[in-house]
Amino acid sequence: MGAWRSVAHRFGFVEYDGPPLEPLDLYTRKSGAEIVGQLYNFEDKGGREVALRPEMTPTFARMAGARANALRKPVRWFSVPQLFRYERQQRGRLREHFQLNVDIVGETDVAADAELLAVAIEVMRELGLSSDDVQARVSDRRLLTALLIGIGVTEDQLGVAYAVIDKIEREPREVSTGRLVEAGMDRAIADALHELVAPRAYAELRAAHAHRAAAAEHFARLDRYLETLAALGVADWVRVDLTIVRGLDYYTGIVFELFDAKGELRAICGGGRYDTLLAALGDADLPALGFGMGDVVLTELLRDRGLLPDPSPSLDYWVAPADDSQRLAATHVASVLRREWSRSVEYPLRAQSLGKQLKSATAAGARLAVIVHDAVHATVRDLTRRAQCDVELPRWLAGEMSVTTADGSELPFRPDAADSVFDALPDPSLPDNG
Ligand code: HAM
């Protein structure tokens, strides 16, 4: 979640939070059947129908809409809510998860869509993933609608067509065709639909439908989107894929999902433009777009690639009183290292032999120990390299000490860089020149 926050800040987004419990109708009105079927809802003591939030977007739309007049636009907000969905638990899908939500309000230009996707991709980069690991699949609902109408799908069949396309990769072709025919489509149109969304290069798709005047403005917009993504340095990560329609009802324009490139896992992230939701949930008629990125699939992918940060404890210093009479002196040293040098520090909260303390220090993942002999004298020990250096505490804690290396050069021996000094010295037994 550190990567989520640091990337969101780097792109100028401001963090907000909202209530985890919302009125039930906030979701039944706009989220769509899939999420509504997964709600944790109940009646509260005041007889109100409420639900634990299954997603953040309705809350966001209501909050941003209510304050839209007073806010500088475009509004750039992000949040890391815990969400609850009564799902069938399976790989990548649990009944609660955390989700990074990044949303923009008040901008219709496609540059905003590109900026948004760049945030999601930058999070992948920040975590050490590359375009060989993750691909963004993008589409535009307006383009897909124009193309569907172009091949003969009628307005009232669009809902079924979207539902079929959403599942087309996971469903046998005969089943999809059956559902389309049942909705009143000719078999030839059902076949044309399958061909329309079949995987192929964007240039080819564009050329195949160049004659459809109603799609021209949507292709032009998608061109600009892709050019802007290239300027943002993320073109390698992105491909157009008309099977991406998103299961939620409120999307109106460009939509996208991020997947692992091997296609083994569920979606890592999904989002898009929802230009009518703010008006539907409040008085602010403002365009908006955003995405949600869950922690569950992402953690699986990072584990697969060996990129998950080491969960074992890590500590900069263990401060050890050499004997019981030095406990207060050691406590003081710990507090200076924490406050003045921002080090993570532990010390024993009860009287303990030095041997036992050094074992605890290793178990706690401490790289360095400070063995406090008295208020002035201490030994800084590198627990992994078994090297050590005696220090005068007042000078060391003030950052005024240095050590001499074998070739005679001086290295500052400050509390925030002691480990790198030990690393830099070929001879693990440090000379002590004060
Ligand atoms: P969503 O596609 O429902 O979109 O969820 C976004 C991401 O959250 C998914 O790609 C997945 O990584 C994660 N996720 C969803 N459900 C679960 C689950 N049960 N267990 C684990 N992870 C899950 C939305 O929620 C939209 N509100 C996103 C959005 C924000 N659109 C605009 N702004």
Side-chain angles (χ1 to χ4, degrees):
M1 286 182 199
W4 283 354
R5 288 201 162 85
S6 71
V7 172
H9 283 304
R10 216 180 294 153
F11 278 76
F13 287 78
V14 176
E15 188 160 6
Y16 71 99
D17 201 3
L21 199 65
E22 288 278 21
L24 179 63
D25 77 338
L26 189 62
Y27 307 109
T28 50
R29 276 156 68 193
K30 277 284 159 193
S31 288
E34 192 171 338
I35 278 205
V36 171
Q38 297 167 342
L39 283 169
Y40 276 96
N41 58 302
F42 54 94
E43 193 183 294
D44 74 3
K45 287 181 179 161
R48 288 171 289 258
E49 284 294 333
V50 292
L52 286 173
R53 60 187 174 197
E55 60 157 334
M56 196 64 173
T57 311
T59 303
F60 168 80
R62 201 201 52 213
M63 286 172 64
R67 300 220 244 136
N69 283 338
L71 296 169
R72 180 180 69 87
K73 280 169 276 310
V75 176
R76 291 168 176 253
W77 279 5
F78 82 96
S79 188
V80 183
Q82 187 175 20
L83 305 176
F84 305 87
R85 295 185 188 181
Y86 196 83
E87 289 220 37
R88 194 168 59 78
Q89 305 221 61
Q90 52 189 303
R91 190 167 185 220
R93 288 290 178 270
L94 302 176
R95 291 198 174 151
E96 59 85 20
H97 69 283
F98 285 89
Q99 208 186 72
L100 166 67
N101 274 250
V102 176
D103 291 85
I104 300 175
V105 170
E107 186 51 71
T108 52
D109 196 285
V110 73
D113 299 75
E115 173 86 339
L116 185 73
L117 179 53
V119 178
I121 292 172
E122 209 55 45
V123 171
M124 300 297 115
R125 272 215 183 109
E126 180 86 2
L127 291 168
L129 295 162
S130 75
S131 57
D132 292 336
D133 301 308
V134 175
Q135 281 285 302
R137 294 157 63 180
V138 307
S139 181
D140 187 332
R141 283 191 169 201
R142 293 159 292 195
L143 173 67
L144 180 63
T145 299
L147 295 177
L148 286 171
I149 302 241
I151 62 170
V153 175
T154 61
E155 294 270 354
D156 57 335
Q157 291 165 343
L158 281 173
V160 176
Y162 267 78
V164 167
I165 293 170
D166 190 32
K167 296 217 158 37
I168 214 153
E169 284 190 324
R170 285 167 276 154
E171 215 166 54
R173 180 159 175 156
E174 320 80 82
V175 177
S176 311
T177 304
R179 290 167 67 198
L180 295 170
V181 169
E182 206 175 293
M185 251 174 252
D186 287 351
R187 195 161 272 275
I189 296 180
D191 287 344
L193 180 147
H194 276 96
E195 193 185 324
L196 173 66
V197 301
R200 63 175 138 173
Y202 175 60
E204 227 177 273
L205 172 79
R206 208 184 184 307
H209 295 276
H211 60 288
R212 299 199 193 282
E217 63 167 312
H218 306 305
F219 273 126
R221 188 189 309 106
L222 209 48
D223 292 345
R224 271 242 297 132
Y225 180 57
L226 297 172
E227 283 162 19
T228 312
L229 287 166
L232 285 161
V234 297
D236 287 354
W237 299 69
V238 181
R239 70 187 152 94
V240 174
D241 180 340
L242 292 184
T243 64
I244 299 299
V245 295
R246 306 277 299 132
L248 293 150
D249 279 357
Y250 45 68
Y251 295 107
T252 56
I254 288 181
V255 284
F256 66 87
E257 290 189 352
L258 262 56
F259 285 91
D260 68 294
K262 289 190 197 153
E264 290 169 348
L265 306 170
R266 305 284 302 263
I268 299 166
C269 166
R273 184 172 274 284
Y274 50 96
D275 282 346
T276 54
L277 188 64
L278 267 69
L281 296 179
D283 301 327
D285 187 3
L286 286 169
L289 57 155
F291 70 77
M293 179 186 293
D295 59 339
V296 180
V297 179
L298 195 53
T299 305
E300 277 190 39
L301 181 61
L302 293 172
R303 191 181 298 118
D304 279 2
R305 299 287 187 282
L307 291 169
L308 215 51
D310 183 1
S312 55
S314 102
L315 209 58
D316 294 320
Y317 283 100
W318 182 281
V319 182
D323 62 58
D324 201 29
S325 67
Q326 298 308 318
R327 282 180 65 194
L328 287 182
T331 306
H332 174 69
V333 171
S335 99
V336 176
L337 287 172
R338 287 171 177 159
R339 194 174 306 140
E340 316 257 322
W341 294 98
S342 303
R343 301 295 89 193
S344 60
V345 181
E346 231 191 281
Y347 60 93
L349 297 177
R350 55 151 72 183
Q352 252 179 358
S353 74
L354 187 57
K356 216 167 187 181
Q357 288 189 60
L358 294 177
K359 275 199 191 118
S360 304
T362 307
R367 163 91 195 260
L368 301 162
V370 184
I371 302 162
V372 178
H373 306 295
D374 58 42
V376 175
H377 300 99
T379 302
V380 180
R381 184 178 290 180
D382 183 328
L383 295 168
T384 52
R385 303 192 63 182
R386 300 189 165 279
Q388 63 182 39
C389 181
D390 291 334
V391 295
E392 270 174 45
L393 281 170
R395 291 181 56 216
W396 185 62
L397 291 174
E400 289 170 0
M401 290 193 68
S402 58
V403 293
T404 311
T405 63
D407 67 8
S409 57
E410 293 261 303
L411 273 183
F413 188 59
R414 292 160 31 122
D416 57 348
D419 49 354
S420 54
V421 170
F422 283 115
D423 283 342
L425 294 173
D427 174 2
S429 55
L430 282 170
D432 170 19
N433 71 350

